């Protein structure tokens, strides 16, 4: 059974897909409660920086450092260098990653800096991205700077 | 004499300060022309992700990978891990940094990944941050996750 918070991130990814966007979602969880949720907004807002994780962090709003340090970030896809950098900036100690088979982010850097990563290899996350990349390869490459 | 693009980044920082914000500005320059400019929006928009560099990238809009690879990012302050990650995501090959004395960002990581850094140690950039940090230490620490 899928973790309830990973499930919430998947719901965000599906909401993004329904809007015509890239299906990547994320939630920030503080002490067992979702305090921010979001999904990739490249298409919807013409955004170059609102990846799923960034949108979740933005929607969580301004927070004291201590809150990030007691939080877990859930994301449907392995975090790219930008999102990994945001995790490092705020010192989020743990990241639960839906899958890293369709895209491998900066996981090595995160591990080197002491972040705990949990990779679910969730079939739904993989299917969402596989299907999207097949149908929109150019858009996907734009999102990862390729 | 200050480089015209670093000067534009400083103007952005000053605009942010005039709005009551954190005085850090940035411009993205493609083949000698500014294609995006911005400044830190933590205070103004209650944003956790709009550092100066992120705001400049966002305001540049969606761009093909090739444009980033021919661009230079100017920023008044050494880029934090999040902004460094964004530079890596988009493969921006060169960053001109106003100063790194009041805050040292993830310059080592950028250099390791082959990004060219030019540090101006510009007196105006240093004075802007020194004064701001003295007056608003809590706000500044929040911005860098401390």
């Amino acid at each position: 059974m899928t973790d309830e918070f990973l499930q919430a991130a998947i719901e965000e990814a599906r909401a993004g897909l329904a809007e015509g966007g890239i299906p990547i979602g994320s939630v920030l969880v503080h002490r067992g409660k979702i305090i921010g949720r979001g999904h990739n907004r490249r298409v919807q807002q013409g955004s170059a920086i609102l990846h799923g994780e960034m949108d979740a962090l933005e929607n969580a709003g301004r927070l004291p450092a201590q809150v990030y340090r007691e939080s877990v970030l859930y994301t449907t896809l392995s975090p790219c260098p930008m999102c990994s950098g945001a995790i490092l900036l705020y010192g989020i100690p743990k990241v639960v990653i839906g899958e890293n088979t369709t895209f491998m982010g900066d996981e090595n850097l995160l591990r080197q800096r002491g972040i705990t990563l949990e990779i679910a290899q969730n079939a739904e996350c993989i299917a969402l991205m596989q299907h999207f990349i097949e149908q929109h390869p150019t858009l996907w490459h734009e999102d990862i700077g390729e």
Side-chain angles (χ1 to χ4, degrees), chain A residues 36-95:
Chain A
R37 50 194 307 153
H39 53 264
N40 188 298
R41 309 268 178 186
R42 178 169 294 271
V43 172
Q44 299 92 318
Q45 294 186 25
S47 175
I49 65 168
L50 287 172
H51 279 190
E53 300 91 323
M54 304 296 287
D55 193 43
L57 291 172
E58 185 68 333
N59 290 334
R62 289 174 53 183
L63 297 169
Q66 191 54 36
V67 174
Y68 294 108
R69 290 182 190 157
E70 297 166 348
S71 292
V72 180
L73 186 71
Y74 288 73
T75 174
T76 57
L77 184 64
S78 184
C80 84
M82 173 176 68
C83 298
S84 296
I87 291 160
L88 293 173
L89 168 65
Y90 287 121
I92 298 169
K94 184 176 171 181
V95 183

Side-chain angles (χ1 to χ4, degrees), chain A residues 6-141:
Chain A
L6 183 56
Q7 195 55 55
I10 294 171
E11 280 162 27
E12 284 292 325
R14 289 203 176 281
L17 187 67
E19 294 163 5
I22 303 173
I24 305 170
S26 178
V27 296
L28 184 66
V29 175
H30 180 244
R31 296 186 174 180
K33 195 181 150 215
I34 295 176
I35 58 170
R37 50 194 307 153
H39 53 264
N40 188 298
R41 309 268 178 186
R42 178 169 294 271
V43 172
Q44 299 92 318
Q45 294 186 25
S47 175
I49 65 168
L50 287 172
H51 279 190
E53 300 91 323
M54 304 296 287
D55 193 43
L57 291 172
E58 185 68 333
N59 290 334
R62 289 174 53 183
L63 297 169
Q66 191 54 36
V67 174
Y68 294 108
R69 290 182 190 157
E70 297 166 348
S71 292
V72 180
L73 186 71
Y74 288 73
T75 174
T76 57
L77 184 64
S78 184
C80 84
M82 173 176 68
C83 298
S84 296
I87 291 160
L88 293 173
L89 168 65
Y90 287 121
I92 298 169
K94 184 176 171 181
V95 183
V96 177
I97 296 171
E99 63 108 351
N100 64 9
T101 64
T102 66
F103 173 77
M104 176 55 80
D106 225 338
E107 294 182 11
N108 284 341
L109 177 67
L110 290 172
R111 280 201 196 86
Q112 278 166 26
R113 303 264 178 109
I115 313 298
T116 301
L117 304 183
E118 204 175 288
I119 320 291
Q121 298 304 23
N122 176 282
E124 200 175 349
C125 294
I126 296 171
L128 270 168
M129 281 309 294
Q130 271 180 346
H131 189 69
F132 185 83
I133 293 169
E134 270 170 33
Q135 295 213 315
H136 306 280
T138 308
L139 177 55
W140 170 237
H141 286 130

